[in-house]
Amino acid sequence: NRYRIAANLHLDHPRQRFYEREGIELVQERAHGNYYVTDVAWISLFWIHGKIAEHMQKGRIFLAGDAAHIHSPAGGQGMNTGLQDAYNLAWKLALVIKEKAKLSLLDSYQIERYPVVKEVVDQNEYVTKLALFDQGFIPKLQKFSHELTEGNHNLETKIANEITLLNVCYKDSPIIDYQHTSALLKPGSRIPDVDLGPTTLYRYFNNTQHTILLFTGLNPTEETLKIIDGLQKSLANYSPDLIKSFIVYNDNTLDPNHTIVDTKWFLHETHQIKQAAVCSVRPDTYIAYYAEDLRVQAIEKCLRQYLY
């Protein structure tokens, strides 16, 4: 017979204390006599506010998660945002500490994460105000949720990716090569996992390495395969704890340790890749480079921006 009760006090400023008598009276008033509280075991005051640190990095100090930004729990995005902060920063710190990457790599943390968390905080402030002050918000939300269950899978997926922050795209990062491409794989965005039958694409990734995917394109010529094979051998000159490359091809006759067998061109088709292309995936699964330029100098130029 213990219950947790949450109530809005409708005050212009947060209170520091709240008494048992007030809690009992509040329930009597708002429940119109249908419910009564006899005793209160614990009272905690909570107020919703959004804040964000202007600088998530200063020298050797980095802020992540709640230390860098707080907001209403209404969107359920606080934990996801904090985890993404840590994931974005961890591999960069590791490479710099191990002297595998340039110190300037750490500057990209603020540049990439600040716009993302600012948008999350602003959106949560907007949604929270709607929930608190728009009496029709909850019925509208319930109606909208019901409509989603009617079969609009694409909209449902889009909203889910928005809430879980899986659709985050780093738009102005100094360590991403933003080249236009007709494929669905866009530099700055997270590469989606793909079911490859006995395994998944993410099983080939390692969170300490950059993964270079060498797509052969649909129906590649012998010359194209020869160029891609040479490109993979050139990339092998990098330290193996920095880079691992795979040829994405629908044939299982190549080296199984360095090939992703793309049965029936499923991976190519999923990402609308028709021509041979090179894709560099960072340890945090975000795309740093994607281009149909098969010259080793092109991909090396991107990698050398921050890797030694």
Side-chain angles (χ1 to χ4, degrees):
N1 293 319
R2 288 191 178 274
Y3 301 87
R4 182 173 66 177
I5 299 172
N8 192 339
L9 299 181
H10 301 294
L11 301 177
D12 295 330
H13 55 84
R15 281 181 57 178
Q16 301 301 318
R17 300 188 67 182
F18 192 70
Y19 299 96
E20 179 178 2
R21 173 183 52 78
E22 294 178 294
I24 294 173
E25 292 175 353
L26 184 145
V27 174
Q28 286 181 315
E29 175 189 333
R30 299 191 186 181
H32 305 291
N34 292 314
Y35 301 98
Y36 293 92
V37 171
T38 56
D39 65 278
V40 180
W42 179 58
I43 297 175
S44 177
L45 275 297
F46 171 75
W47 55 94
I48 295 172
H49 56 292
K51 292 182 180 180
I52 180 172
E54 187 175 348
H55 301 287
M56 297 176 68
Q57 171 198 4
K58 189 172 183 180
R60 298 167 70 90
I61 299 173
F62 295 86
L63 302 179
D66 290 351
H69 42 81
I70 54 175
H71 54 76
S72 161
Q77 296 175 304
M79 183 176 68
N80 289 347
T81 311
L83 288 172
Q84 284 194 346
D85 289 345
Y87 204 15
N88 183 285
L89 180 59
W91 68 272
K92 298 174 183 178
L93 275 176
L95 290 179
V96 171
I97 290 170
K98 293 178 181 178
E99 298 184 342
K100 298 288 187 179
K102 301 172 185 177
L103 187 62
S104 59
L105 173 61
L106 299 178
D107 295 335
S108 66
Y109 174 63
Q110 163 83 11
I111 296 171
E112 291 183 350
R113 292 303 301 162
Y114 182 83
V116 173
V117 297
K118 186 178 187 310
E119 183 176 355
V120 170
V121 171
D122 289 346
Q123 284 183 349
N124 270 273
E125 286 286 287
Y126 177 72
V127 171
T128 300
K129 288 176 181 177
L130 278 179
L132 291 176
F133 303 114
D134 183 350
Q135 298 299 319
F137 176 72
I138 298 300
K140 291 175 185 175
L141 185 61
Q142 290 173 335
K143 182 176 183 294
F144 180 65
S145 299
H146 176 71
E147 290 175 351
L148 282 182
T149 63
E150 294 298 310
N152 195 336
H153 179 69
N154 290 335
L155 180 59
E156 184 178 1
T157 301
K158 185 176 181 180
I159 293 174
N161 287 338
E162 176 82 22
I163 293 174
T164 57
L165 302 174
L166 292 179
N167 66 340
V168 165
C169 182
Y170 299 128
K171 300 176 182 178
D172 298 299
S173 174
I175 62 170
I176 291 175
D177 190 319
Y178 296 96
Q179 295 196 37
H180 175 73
T181 170
S182 58
L184 293 181
L185 298 180
K186 305 296 183 184
S189 61
R190 170 184 166 274
I191 188 169
D193 199 7
V194 175
D195 187 353
L196 298 176
T199 186
T200 66
L201 179 61
Y202 272 31
R203 290 294 181 92
Y204 291 94
F205 295 169
N206 184 305
N207 59 13
T208 63
Q209 295 173 309
H210 281 64
T211 304
I212 311 296
L213 301 176
L214 305 172
F215 292 93
T216 62
L218 303 178
N219 303 313
T221 63
E222 288 295 328
E223 180 64 21
T224 298
L225 292 175
K226 184 177 179 180
I227 292 173
I228 289 178
D229 181 63
L231 177 55
Q232 186 177 63
K233 290 176 179 176
S234 297
L235 291 171
N237 294 326
Y238 277 85
S239 173
D241 60 346
L242 282 181
I243 290 176
K244 188 169 185 178
S245 63
F246 295 95
I247 296 177
V248 184
Y249 185 39
N250 79 331
D251 194 312
N252 61 4
T253 59
L254 301 180
D255 181 357
N257 294 320
H258 296 91
T259 305
I260 297 177
V261 180
D262 190 13
T263 307
K264 296 182 179 180
W265 302 110
F266 181 73
L267 192 54
H268 279 72
E269 296 285 3
T270 298
H271 296 309
Q272 297 182 6
I273 299 171
K274 298 179 181 179
Q275 305 297 321
V278 180
C279 179
S280 174
V281 183
R282 308 186 327 186
D284 60 355
T285 70
Y286 279 81
I287 300 169
Y289 175 89
Y290 182 91
E292 295 175 357
D293 189 339
L294 300 183
R295 295 174 303 153
V296 67
Q297 295 88 346
I299 180 64
E300 281 187 339
K301 182 180 178 182
C302 176
L303 296 172
R304 293 295 185 191
Q305 287 185 87
Y306 53 91
L307 296 178
Y308 283 127

